[in-house]
Amino acid sequence: MELDDIRQAISSTDQQLLQLLAKRRELALAVADAKLSQNKPIRDQQREQELLVSLITQGKALGIDAQYVTRIYHVIIEDSVLQQQAKVQGQLNGVNGPSVRVAFLGGQGSYSYWATQKYFTRRAERIIELGCDSFNEIVQAVETGHADYALLPIENTSSGSINEVFDLLQHTRLSIVGELTHPIAHCLLGIAGAELSKVRQVCAHPQVIAQCSQYLLGLSNVKIDYCDSSSAAFTKVKALQDPTIIAIGGEEGGQLYGLEVLARDLANQKDNVSRFIVVARKPVVVAKAIPAKTTFIMYTGQQPGALVEALLVLKQHGISMAKLESRPIPGNPWEEMFYVDVFANLADYAMTRALEELNNITKFVKVLGCYPSEDIEPTQVIAG
Ligand SMILES: O=C(O)C(=O)C[C@]1(C(=O)O)C=C[C@@H](O)C=C1
Protein backbone atom coordinates (compact mmCIF):
# COMPACT_ATOMS: atom_id res chain seq x y z
CA MET A 1 0.00 0.00 0.00
CA GLU A 2 1.19 3.54 -0.77
CA LEU A 3 1.77 6.03 2.09
CA ASP A 4 -1.23 8.15 1.06
CA ASP A 5 -3.51 5.12 1.02
CA ILE A 6 -2.33 3.99 4.44
CA ARG A 7 -2.87 7.48 5.83
CA GLN A 8 -6.35 7.57 4.37
CA ALA A 9 -7.11 4.25 6.06
CA ILE A 10 -5.77 5.65 9.38
CA SER A 11 -7.91 8.78 9.04
CA SER A 12 -10.99 6.73 8.37
CA THR A 13 -10.22 4.47 11.37
CA ASP A 14 -9.82 7.59 13.57
CA GLN A 15 -13.13 8.89 12.31
CA GLN A 16 -14.78 5.61 13.29
CA LEU A 17 -13.14 5.83 16.73
CA LEU A 18 -14.62 9.30 17.22
CA GLN A 19 -18.05 8.15 16.10
CA LEU A 20 -17.86 5.28 18.58
CA LEU A 21 -16.78 7.63 21.37
CA ALA A 22 -19.74 9.92 20.59
CA LYS A 23 -22.05 6.91 20.66
CA ARG A 24 -20.56 5.78 23.99
CA ARG A 25 -21.20 9.23 25.44
CA GLU A 26 -24.84 9.08 24.35
CA LEU A 27 -25.22 5.69 26.04
CA ALA A 28 -23.60 7.02 29.22
CA LEU A 29 -26.12 9.89 29.29
CA ALA A 30 -28.94 7.38 28.91
CA VAL A 31 -27.47 5.42 31.85
CA ALA A 32 -27.64 8.62 33.95
CA ASP A 33 -31.44 8.82 33.41
CA ALA A 34 -31.89 5.12 34.23
CA LYS A 35 -29.85 5.50 37.42
CA LEU A 36 -31.77 8.56 38.60
CA SER A 37 -35.06 6.73 38.22
CA GLN A 38 -33.63 3.81 40.24
CA ASN A 39 -32.03 6.06 42.88
CA LYS A 40 -28.57 4.71 42.11
CA PRO A 41 -25.31 6.67 42.33
CA ILE A 42 -23.70 7.76 39.06
CA ARG A 43 -20.36 6.14 39.86
CA ASP A 44 -20.27 2.32 39.99
CA GLN A 45 -16.68 1.25 40.48
CA GLN A 46 -17.53 -2.44 40.55
CA ARG A 47 -18.94 -2.11 37.03
CA GLU A 48 -15.80 -0.18 36.00
CA GLN A 49 -13.60 -2.97 37.43
CA GLU A 50 -15.49 -5.61 35.49
CA LEU A 51 -15.33 -3.59 32.30
CA LEU A 52 -11.63 -2.92 32.69
CA VAL A 53 -10.77 -6.57 33.39
CA SER A 54 -12.74 -7.63 30.33
CA LEU A 55 -11.15 -4.92 28.13
CA ILE A 56 -7.64 -5.86 29.26
CA THR A 57 -8.29 -9.49 28.33
CA GLN A 58 -9.72 -8.50 24.95
CA GLY A 59 -6.80 -6.12 24.41
CA LYS A 60 -4.27 -8.87 25.10
CA ALA A 61 -5.85 -11.06 22.46
CA LEU A 62 -5.42 -8.15 19.99
CA GLY A 63 -1.80 -7.47 21.03
CA ILE A 64 -2.68 -4.25 22.93
CA ASP A 65 -0.96 -4.07 26.33
CA ALA A 66 -2.85 -3.64 29.59
CA GLN A 67 -1.32 -0.25 30.43
CA TYR A 68 -2.43 1.24 27.14
CA VAL A 69 -5.96 -0.07 27.57
CA THR A 70 -6.07 1.20 31.17
CA ARG A 71 -4.86 4.71 30.27
CA ILE A 72 -7.39 5.15 27.51
CA TYR A 73 -10.16 3.69 29.60
CA HIS A 74 -9.48 6.08 32.50
CA VAL A 75 -9.92 9.07 30.19
CA ILE A 76 -13.14 7.63 28.77
CA ILE A 77 -14.61 6.87 32.19
CA GLU A 78 -13.70 10.28 33.57
CA ASP A 79 -15.50 11.88 30.64
CA SER A 80 -18.47 9.56 31.07
CA VAL A 81 -18.85 10.35 34.78
CA LEU A 82 -18.42 14.12 34.28
CA GLN A 83 -20.93 14.16 31.41
CA GLN A 84 -23.45 12.30 33.55
CA GLN A 85 -22.87 14.57 36.55
CA ALA A 86 -23.29 17.71 34.43
CA LYS A 87 -26.53 16.40 32.96
CA VAL A 88 -28.02 15.38 36.31
CA GLN A 89 -27.03 18.69 37.94
CA GLY A 90 -28.40 20.67 35.01
CA GLN A 91 -31.75 18.90 35.21
CA LEU A 92 -31.99 19.25 38.97
CA ASN A 93 -31.13 22.96 39.04
CA GLY A 94 -32.63 23.91 35.68
CA VAL A 95 -29.42 25.63 34.61
CA ASN A 96 -28.05 23.96 31.47
CA GLY A 97 -29.19 26.46 28.85
CA PRO A 98 -28.28 27.22 25.25
CA SER A 99 -25.75 29.87 26.30
CA VAL A 100 -23.85 30.98 29.40
CA ARG A 101 -21.87 34.15 30.08
CA VAL A 102 -18.66 33.30 31.88
CA ALA A 103 -16.13 35.73 33.41
CA PHE A 104 -12.55 34.46 33.70
CA LEU A 105 -8.99 35.74 33.86
CA GLY A 106 -7.37 36.85 30.61
CA GLY A 107 -8.46 36.27 27.04
CA GLN A 108 -8.17 33.45 24.52
CA GLY A 109 -5.33 31.10 25.39
CA SER A 110 -5.05 31.83 29.14
CA TYR A 111 -5.22 28.81 31.45
CA SER A 112 -8.56 30.08 32.78
CA TYR A 113 -9.81 30.26 29.18
CA TRP A 114 -9.09 26.53 28.63
CA ALA A 115 -10.60 25.62 32.01
CA THR A 116 -13.73 27.62 31.09
CA GLN A 117 -14.01 25.72 27.81
CA LYS A 118 -13.53 22.37 29.55
CA TYR A 119 -16.13 23.00 32.25
CA PHE A 120 -18.86 24.77 30.27
CA THR A 121 -18.74 22.76 27.04
CA ARG A 122 -20.51 20.00 28.99
CA ARG A 123 -23.15 22.45 30.17
CA ALA A 124 -24.08 24.83 27.38
CA GLU A 125 -24.17 24.97 23.60
CA ARG A 126 -22.55 28.38 23.54
CA ILE A 127 -20.12 30.08 25.90
CA ILE A 128 -20.12 33.88 25.90
CA GLU A 129 -16.61 34.71 27.09
CA LEU A 130 -16.00 37.69 29.34
CA GLY A 131 -12.23 37.92 29.73
CA CYS A 132 -11.19 40.06 32.73
CA ASP A 133 -7.94 41.65 33.95
CA SER A 134 -8.21 40.78 37.65
CA PHE A 135 -9.90 38.37 40.06
CA ASN A 136 -11.83 41.30 41.53
CA GLU A 137 -13.21 42.26 38.12
CA ILE A 138 -14.28 38.63 37.52
CA VAL A 139 -16.27 38.48 40.77
CA GLN A 140 -17.83 41.88 40.08
CA ALA A 141 -18.95 40.78 36.62
CA VAL A 142 -21.18 38.15 38.24
CA GLU A 143 -22.24 40.29 41.19
CA THR A 144 -23.49 43.00 38.84
CA GLY A 145 -25.25 40.53 36.53
CA HIS A 146 -22.95 41.03 33.53
CA ALA A 147 -21.94 37.36 33.72
CA ASP A 148 -23.79 34.23 34.88
CA TYR A 149 -20.70 32.50 36.21
CA ALA A 150 -17.15 33.29 37.27
CA LEU A 151 -14.30 30.84 37.03
CA LEU A 152 -11.49 31.40 39.54
CA PRO A 153 -8.29 29.47 40.21
CA ILE A 154 -8.13 28.65 43.91
CA GLU A 155 -5.07 26.46 44.40
CA ASN A 156 -2.18 24.92 42.54
CA THR A 157 0.05 21.96 43.31
CA SER A 158 3.23 24.06 42.86
CA SER A 159 2.32 27.45 44.36
CA GLY A 160 -0.40 26.45 46.86
CA SER A 161 -3.48 28.52 47.69
CA ILE A 162 -4.29 31.68 45.77
CA ASN A 163 -4.80 34.07 48.68
CA GLU A 164 -6.43 36.84 46.67
CA VAL A 165 -9.26 34.51 45.65
CA PHE A 166 -9.77 33.27 49.22
CA ASP A 167 -10.02 36.88 50.38
CA LEU A 168 -12.58 37.72 47.71
CA LEU A 169 -14.71 34.75 48.80
CA GLN A 170 -14.83 36.15 52.34
CA HIS A 171 -16.69 39.21 51.13
CA THR A 172 -18.85 38.09 48.24
CA ARG A 173 -22.44 36.93 48.31
CA LEU A 174 -21.81 34.63 45.38
CA SER A 175 -21.95 30.85 45.89
CA ILE A 176 -19.55 28.15 44.79
CA VAL A 177 -21.52 25.92 42.38
CA GLY A 178 -18.76 23.82 40.82
CA GLU A 179 -15.10 22.90 40.73
CA LEU A 180 -12.67 21.42 38.26
CA THR A 181 -9.01 20.55 38.09
CA HIS A 182 -6.89 21.35 35.06
CA PRO A 183 -3.28 20.36 34.28
CA ILE A 184 -1.03 23.39 33.85
CA ALA A 185 1.99 22.75 31.60
CA HIS A 186 4.17 25.87 31.55
CA CYS A 187 6.40 26.57 28.54
CA LEU A 188 8.72 29.40 27.54
CA LEU A 189 7.29 30.90 24.37
CA GLY A 190 8.84 33.41 22.02
CA ILE A 191 8.49 34.78 18.51
CA ALA A 192 10.14 32.87 15.66
CA GLY A 193 13.91 33.09 16.01
CA ALA A 194 13.93 33.56 19.82
CA GLU A 195 16.73 31.69 21.62
CA LEU A 196 16.86 30.67 25.25
CA SER A 197 20.45 31.93 25.71
CA LYS A 198 19.48 35.45 24.57
CA VAL A 199 16.38 35.98 26.70
CA ARG A 200 16.37 39.27 28.66
CA GLN A 201 12.74 39.63 29.77
CA VAL A 202 10.11 37.07 30.88
CA CYS A 203 6.44 38.12 30.80
CA ALA A 204 3.99 36.11 32.94
CA HIS A 205 1.22 36.23 35.53
CA PRO A 206 2.53 36.39 39.15
CA GLN A 207 1.02 32.94 39.91
CA VAL A 208 2.88 31.49 36.93
CA ILE A 209 6.13 33.10 38.11
CA ALA A 210 5.58 31.52 41.57
CA GLN A 211 4.93 28.09 40.03
CA CYS A 212 8.14 28.26 37.96
CA SER A 213 10.34 29.92 40.63
CA GLN A 214 12.98 27.17 40.65
CA TYR A 215 13.40 27.18 36.87
CA LEU A 216 13.59 30.98 36.78
CA LEU A 217 16.44 30.99 39.34
CA GLY A 218 18.50 29.26 36.64
CA LEU A 219 18.04 32.15 34.17
CA SER A 220 20.55 34.90 34.87
CA ASN A 221 20.15 38.62 34.00
CA VAL A 222 16.52 38.23 33.13
CA LYS A 223 13.93 40.87 34.02
CA ILE A 224 10.56 39.56 35.25
CA ASP A 225 7.59 41.41 33.79
CA TYR A 226 4.38 40.69 35.74
CA CYS A 227 1.30 40.54 33.50
CA ASP A 228 -2.44 40.35 34.27
CA SER A 229 -2.76 36.90 32.66
CA SER A 230 -0.93 34.44 30.41
CA SER A 231 -2.86 35.75 27.43
CA ALA A 232 -1.76 39.31 28.31
CA ALA A 233 1.84 38.00 28.33
CA PHE A 234 1.33 36.39 24.89
CA THR A 235 -0.20 39.58 23.51
CA LYS A 236 2.76 41.64 24.73
CA VAL A 237 5.41 39.29 23.33
CA LYS A 238 3.62 39.12 19.99
CA ALA A 239 3.24 42.91 19.81
CA LEU A 240 6.88 43.70 20.72
CA GLN A 241 8.32 41.27 18.13
CA ASP A 242 11.59 41.21 20.10
CA PRO A 243 13.27 37.76 20.22
CA THR A 244 14.79 38.54 23.63
CA ILE A 245 11.36 38.99 25.27
CA ILE A 246 9.42 35.82 26.00
CA ALA A 247 6.25 34.68 27.77
CA ILE A 248 5.43 31.78 30.07
CA GLY A 249 2.16 29.99 29.41
CA GLY A 250 0.58 26.95 27.84
CA GLU A 251 1.75 25.68 24.47
CA GLU A 252 -1.73 25.64 22.94
CA GLY A 253 -2.34 29.19 24.17
CA GLY A 254 0.97 30.45 22.79
CA GLN A 255 0.17 28.92 19.41
CA LEU A 256 -2.93 31.13 19.16
CA TYR A 257 -0.51 34.10 19.21
CA GLY A 258 1.97 32.55 16.77
CA LEU A 259 4.55 31.91 19.51
CA GLU A 260 7.01 29.00 19.51
CA VAL A 261 8.14 26.80 22.38
CA LEU A 262 11.70 27.34 23.71
CA ALA A 263 11.42 25.11 26.80
CA ARG A 264 8.81 22.88 28.45
CA ASP A 265 7.93 21.54 31.93
CA LEU A 266 8.94 24.65 33.88
CA ALA A 267 6.77 24.14 36.98
CA ASN A 268 8.31 23.37 40.38
CA GLN A 269 6.13 20.25 40.70
CA LYS A 270 6.08 17.63 37.98
CA ASP A 271 2.32 17.20 38.39
CA ASN A 272 1.36 20.84 38.10
CA VAL A 273 -2.41 21.02 38.42
CA SER A 274 -4.71 23.91 39.29
CA ARG A 275 -8.08 23.62 40.96
CA PHE A 276 -10.67 26.13 39.81
CA ILE A 277 -14.00 27.00 41.39
CA VAL A 278 -17.11 28.17 39.58
CA VAL A 279 -19.26 30.75 41.35
CA ALA A 280 -22.74 32.10 40.62
CA ARG A 281 -25.32 34.38 42.20
CA LYS A 282 -27.60 31.48 43.20
CA PRO A 283 -26.46 28.36 45.11
CA VAL A 284 -27.19 24.94 43.62
CA VAL A 285 -28.35 21.71 45.19
CA VAL A 286 -26.29 18.61 44.47
CA ALA A 287 -28.07 15.42 43.46
CA LYS A 288 -27.72 12.53 45.91
CA ALA A 289 -26.36 10.41 43.05
CA ILE A 290 -23.24 12.60 42.84
CA PRO A 291 -20.39 12.93 45.37
CA ALA A 292 -20.56 16.46 46.78
CA LYS A 293 -18.23 18.89 48.46
CA THR A 294 -19.26 21.73 50.77
CA THR A 295 -17.13 24.78 51.47
CA PHE A 296 -17.70 26.95 54.53
CA ILE A 297 -15.79 29.64 56.37
CA MET A 298 -15.70 30.03 60.15
CA TYR A 299 -14.19 32.28 62.77
CA THR A 300 -13.57 30.37 65.96
CA GLY A 301 -12.14 33.10 68.18
CA GLN A 302 -8.74 32.73 69.81
CA GLN A 303 -9.49 30.78 72.98
CA PRO A 304 -7.26 27.70 73.48
CA GLY A 305 -8.40 24.65 71.53
CA ALA A 306 -11.11 26.53 69.58
CA LEU A 307 -10.10 25.11 66.21
CA VAL A 308 -9.70 21.60 67.61
CA GLU A 309 -13.23 21.78 69.06
CA ALA A 310 -14.60 22.85 65.71
CA LEU A 311 -12.82 20.08 63.82
CA LEU A 312 -14.00 17.52 66.38
CA VAL A 313 -17.57 18.37 65.37
CA LEU A 314 -16.76 17.19 61.84
CA LYS A 315 -15.14 14.03 63.20
CA GLN A 316 -18.14 13.28 65.41
CA HIS A 317 -20.40 13.41 62.36
CA GLY A 318 -18.09 11.26 60.23
CA ILE A 319 -17.36 14.14 57.82
CA SER A 320 -13.97 14.07 56.05
CA MET A 321 -12.12 17.27 55.36
CA ALA A 322 -10.63 17.92 51.91
CA LYS A 323 -8.89 21.19 52.76
CA LEU A 324 -8.30 23.62 55.62
CA GLU A 325 -6.92 27.08 54.94
CA SER A 326 -6.61 30.18 57.09
CA ARG A 327 -6.57 33.83 56.04
CA PRO A 328 -6.26 37.05 58.06
CA ILE A 329 -9.47 38.95 58.81
CA PRO A 330 -9.13 42.54 57.49
CA GLY A 331 -9.22 45.06 60.33
CA ASN A 332 -8.59 42.40 63.02
CA PRO A 333 -4.82 41.87 63.16
CA TRP A 334 -3.69 38.31 63.99
CA GLU A 335 -7.19 36.91 63.81
CA GLU A 336 -7.82 34.22 61.24
CA MET A 337 -10.79 33.11 59.14
CA PHE A 338 -10.75 29.36 58.44
CA TYR A 339 -11.84 28.00 55.07
CA VAL A 340 -12.98 24.38 55.19
CA ASP A 341 -13.77 22.03 52.28
CA VAL A 342 -15.52 18.81 53.30
CA PHE A 343 -16.68 15.76 51.39
CA ALA A 344 -20.37 16.14 52.20
CA ASN A 345 -23.65 17.26 50.72
CA LEU A 346 -25.19 20.27 52.44
CA ALA A 347 -28.50 18.41 52.43
CA ASP A 348 -27.06 15.44 54.39
CA TYR A 349 -28.38 15.08 57.94
CA ALA A 350 -24.80 14.83 59.27
CA MET A 351 -23.77 18.07 57.56
CA THR A 352 -26.85 19.96 58.74
CA ARG A 353 -26.24 18.83 62.33
CA ALA A 354 -22.51 19.64 62.13
CA LEU A 355 -23.25 23.18 60.90
CA GLU A 356 -25.78 23.72 63.67
CA GLU A 357 -23.20 22.69 66.25
CA LEU A 358 -20.50 24.82 64.66
CA ASN A 359 -22.90 27.77 64.78
CA ASN A 360 -23.20 27.24 68.53
CA ILE A 361 -19.50 26.92 69.35
CA THR A 362 -17.89 29.36 66.91
CA LYS A 363 -18.30 33.12 66.47
CA PHE A 364 -19.20 33.00 62.78
CA VAL A 365 -20.00 30.35 60.15
CA LYS A 366 -21.01 30.90 56.53
CA VAL A 367 -21.53 28.29 53.82
CA LEU A 368 -19.89 29.34 50.55
CA GLY A 369 -21.48 26.55 48.53
CA CYS A 370 -22.18 22.90 47.91
CA TYR A 371 -21.13 21.53 44.54
CA PRO A 372 -20.34 18.27 42.72
CA SER A 373 -16.87 16.91 43.36
CA GLU A 374 -15.03 16.51 40.06
CA ASP A 375 -12.23 14.38 41.53
CA ILE A 376 -12.73 11.21 39.52
CA GLU A 377 -10.27 8.75 41.07
CA PRO A 378 -9.32 6.24 38.37
CA THR A 379 -10.45 2.68 39.04
CA GLN A 380 -7.54 0.27 39.37
CA VAL A 381 -7.79 -3.37 38.52
CA ILE A 382 -7.29 -5.62 41.53
CA ALA A 383 -4.64 -8.13 40.52
CA GLY A 384 -5.60 -11.80 40.57
O1 LIG B 1 -22.55 1.56 33.62
C1 LIG B 1 -22.71 2.53 34.33
O2 LIG B 1 -23.24 2.46 35.45
C2 LIG B 1 -22.29 3.85 33.87
O3 LIG B 1 -22.62 4.86 34.46
C3 LIG B 1 -21.39 3.95 32.71
C4 LIG B 1 -19.95 3.95 33.13
C5 LIG B 1 -19.17 3.86 31.80
O4 LIG B 1 -18.96 4.89 31.18
O5 LIG B 1 -18.88 2.75 31.40
C6 LIG B 1 -19.65 5.23 33.83
C7 LIG B 1 -19.64 5.36 35.19
C8 LIG B 1 -19.77 4.20 36.08
O6 LIG B 1 -18.91 4.34 37.18
C9 LIG B 1 -19.62 2.93 35.39
C10 LIG B 1 -19.63 2.81 34.04
Side-chain angles (χ1 to χ4, degrees), residues 84-95 284-287 290 372:
Q84 292 188 53
Q85 289 192 177
K87 178 176 181 180
V88 169
Q89 275 300 100
Q91 281 172 350
L92 184 65
N93 291 283
V95 289
V284 291
V285 283
V286 180
I290 297 174

Side-chain angles (χ1 to χ4, degrees), residues 324-344:
L324 175 66
E325 182 68 43
S326 70
R327 290 292 303 148
I329 302 175
N332 297 30
W334 310 116
E335 296 193 7
E336 298 283 323
M337 183 69 80
F338 292 106
Y339 289 72
V340 192
D341 286 354
V342 290
F343 291 108

Side-chain angles (χ1 to χ4, degrees), residues 24 31 35 42-44 47-48 51 77 80-81 84:
R24 196 187 191 289
V31 165
K35 281 185 174 169
I42 293 294
R43 194 100 197 257
D44 180 345
R47 164 74 177 153
E48 290 180 23
L51 264 178
I77 284 293
S80 170
V81 173
Q84 292 188 53

Side-chain angles (χ1 to χ4, degrees), residues 296-299 355 358-360 362-367:
F296 63 91
I297 52 176
M298 62 181 180
Y299 171 52
L355 282 171
L358 286 172
N359 249 316
N360 292 336
T362 62
K363 299 198 182 313
F364 171 79
V365 181
K366 180 181 146 197
V367 173

Side-chain angles (χ1 to χ4, degrees), residues 58-93:
Q58 292 175 57
K60 262 188 199 148
L62 296 165
I64 303 176
D65 67 89
Q67 272 195 4
Y68 184 50
V69 172
T70 307
R71 259 178 33 220
I72 291 175
Y73 181 75
H74 283 163
V75 175
I76 291 175
I77 284 293
E78 186 189 51
D79 175 73
S80 170
V81 173
L82 292 179
Q83 286 286 126
Q84 292 188 53
Q85 289 192 177
K87 178 176 181 180
V88 169
Q89 275 300 100
Q91 281 172 350
L92 184 65
N93 291 283

